C-alpha cells in the first residue's frame, strides 16, 4: 500500500490517497480547536490516543453489525480506511443535557433525557455548523430521504451499543458526534472518529469530565483525561 498525496486537512486529521482508489490513509494530529477554531492548541499524545481509541471502538461496532470505514490500524497515528464521500452532516446524539443544548434550551447540564435526542448540524464552517433537521437535510440535497432513515437507524443502534459499552468501563456517555460516508460502491458506513474530541464522557462515580470539555473550558489535566479514557477502552 503506497501513501500518495494529501487530499484533505481537517482540524484534527489529514487524509491521504493511496495507490488503491478505494482506500485512504487517515493520520491523526495532536492539534485541538474549539468554538469552530476560535480557540487553538495542542494536546500532547492526542493523535495516538484518538487513533487507537477509534480503531478499538470501530472494531467492536463492526462485531455488532455496524458497517464502518475502518480497514485496519497502520501505525500509532495512522489508519487504513475505505475511501468515502462524507455526508456534510454532524450527527449528534444526546443522552444527558450538556454543552450547546443546555445553553440553547435552558436545561441544566446533567439533566438525564427521557429519550435519546437525534440532532443534526449542517457542516458549514462559515455558518458555525448550524442546527438543522432531517427535512432540511433532504431539501438541501445533503442526503436522500432513504439515506436519512438509514443514518438515523444506524445512529440510534450505535448509541445503544456505545452507552452499554462505556457504562461497563465506568463511563457515562453524555453525548457524541458521528459522521457517515458513502463508499465507492454506494454503501453507507460510519466514518470519522469516536474519541474524547467528539464525545462527552463523565466518570460514573465521580462525575469527572474525561473529554475535550477540559480543553474547551480550561479545566487542566487534559492529557491525563485522554490517557484515562484510552486505558478504560483498551484495558
Ligand atoms: P455541543 O453540546 O457543543 O453541541 O456538542 C455535542 C457533542 O458533539 C459533544 O460530545 C461534542 C461533539 N462535537 C463535535 O465532535 N464537534 C463539533 O464541532 C461540535 C459542535 C460538537
Amino acid at each position: 500500500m503506497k501513501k500518495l498525496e494529501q487530499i484533505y486537512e481537517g482540524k484534527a486529521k489529514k487524509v491521504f490517497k493511496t495507490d488503491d482508489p478505494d482506500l485512504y490513509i487517515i493520520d491523526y494530529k495532536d492539534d485541538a480547536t474549539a468554538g469552530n477554531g476560535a480557540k487553538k492548541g495542542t494536546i500532547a499524545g492526542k493523535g495516538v490516543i484518538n487513533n487507537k481509541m477509534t480503531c478499538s471502538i470501530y472494531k467492536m461496532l463492526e462485531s455488532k453489525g455496524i458497517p464502518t470505514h475502518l480497514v485496519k490500524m497502520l501505525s500509532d497515528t495512522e489508519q487504513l480506511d475505505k475511501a468515502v464521500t462524507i455526508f456534510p452532516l454532524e450527527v449528534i446524539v444526546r443522552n444527558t443535557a450538556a454543552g450547546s443544548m443546555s445553553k440553547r434550551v435552558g436545561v441544566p447540564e446533567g439533566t438525564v433525557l427521557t429519550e435519546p435526542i437525534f440532532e443534526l448540524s449542517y457542516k458549514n464552517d462559515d455558518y458555525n455548523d448550524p442546527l438543522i433537521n432531517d427535512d432540511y437535510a433532504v431539501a438541501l440535497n445533503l442526503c436522500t430521504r432513504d439515506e436519512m432513515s438509514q443514518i438515523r437507524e444506524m445512529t440510534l443502534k450505535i448509541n445503544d451499543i456505545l452507552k452499554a459499552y462505556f457504562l461497563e468501563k465506568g463511563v457515562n456517555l453524555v453525548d457524541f458526534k458521528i459522521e457517515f460516508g458513502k463508499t465507492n460502491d454506494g454503501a453507507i458506513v460510519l466514518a470519522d472518529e469516536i474519541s474524547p474530541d467528539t464525545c462527552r464522557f463523565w466518570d460514573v462515580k465521580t462525575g469527572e469530565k474525561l473529554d475535550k470539555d477540559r480543553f474547551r473550558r480550561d479545566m487542566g489535566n487534559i492529557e491525563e483525561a485522554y490517557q484515562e479514557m484510552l486505558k478504560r477502552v483498551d484495558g
Side-chain angles (χ1 to χ4, degrees):
M1 182 59 49
K2 239 202 206 145
K3 189 171 178 179
L4 301 180
E5 78 266 23
Q6 180 178 307
I7 51 168
Y8 175 77
E9 177 160 12
K11 291 166 190 150
K13 294 185 285 292
K14 294 175 181 174
V15 183
F16 296 85
K17 269 191 183 170
T18 70
D19 51 2
D20 182 335
D22 293 330
L23 296 172
Y24 286 163
I25 290 173
I26 297 185
D27 196 348
Y28 283 64
K29 308 192 289 184
D30 286 353
D31 297 349
T33 62
N36 193 20
K39 181 183 165 96
K40 287 194 176 82
T42 56
I43 299 174
K46 178 171 84 76
V48 175
I49 292 171
N50 287 3
N51 179 41
K52 287 184 175 173
M53 199 185 300
T54 298
C55 285
S56 292
I57 293 169
Y58 272 40
K59 270 189 214 158
M60 181 276 295
L61 288 170
E62 286 270 1
S63 79
K64 294 184 184 295
I66 304 292
T68 79
H69 71 161
L70 180 69
V71 177
K72 62 177 178 179
M73 195 163 108
L74 290 177
S75 72
D76 274 0
T77 61
E78 292 168 309
Q79 49 183 247
L80 186 64
D81 294 303
K82 290 176 192 158
V84 295
T85 306
I86 294 281
F87 291 99
L89 295 168
E90 299 211 326
V91 179
I92 291 168
V93 177
R94 300 182 187 274
N95 296 305
T96 300
S100 71
M101 175 188 173
S102 291
K103 281 204 186 121
R104 194 177 61 244
V105 188
V107 181
E109 285 210 320
T111 307
V112 177
L113 302 167
T114 303
E115 281 187 14
I117 293 174
F118 173 85
E119 184 179 301
L120 294 169
S121 291
Y122 174 31
K123 273 167 71 91
N124 182 333
D125 281 343
D126 293 343
Y127 287 81
N128 282 319
D129 299 338
L131 183 69
I132 58 167
N133 66 20
D134 47 354
D135 283 349
Y136 278 71
V138 175
L140 296 174
N141 300 313
L142 309 182
C143 62
T144 67
R145 184 63 68 185
D146 179 60
E147 287 166 346
M148 186 80 266
S149 58
Q150 283 186 63
I151 287 171
R152 185 184 164 98
E153 192 181 318
M154 282 167 74
T155 298
L156 294 175
K157 193 169 163 200
I158 290 165
N159 183 45
D160 284 344
I161 297 169
L162 290 182
K163 258 194 307 191
Y165 172 85
F166 282 113
L167 201 56
E168 260 182 36
K169 295 166 190 307
V171 172
N172 179 13
L173 178 62
V174 170
D175 57 32
F176 60 93
K177 187 268 298 181
I178 49 179
E179 298 188 17
F180 290 90
K182 208 187 224 183
T183 62
N184 291 341
D185 50 19
I188 296 180
V189 297
L190 178 64
D192 198 46
E193 66 185 280
I194 294 181
S195 74
D197 273 11
T198 61
C199 305
R200 285 195 172 91
F201 297 127
W202 294 356
D203 183 86
V204 167
K205 284 202 192 111
T206 64
E208 189 188 0
K209 295 186 199 313
L210 297 171
D211 57 60
K212 197 172 158 188
D213 271 348
R214 302 200 75 86
F215 171 79
R216 295 185 190 101
R217 302 178 187 190
D218 298 315
M219 297 172 75
N221 292 329
I222 306 167
E223 284 87 0
E224 291 81 355
Y226 277 65
Q227 291 287 355
E228 175 62 24
M229 276 310 303
L230 180 62
K231 203 169 87 190
R232 298 221 191 166
V233 165
D234 272 355

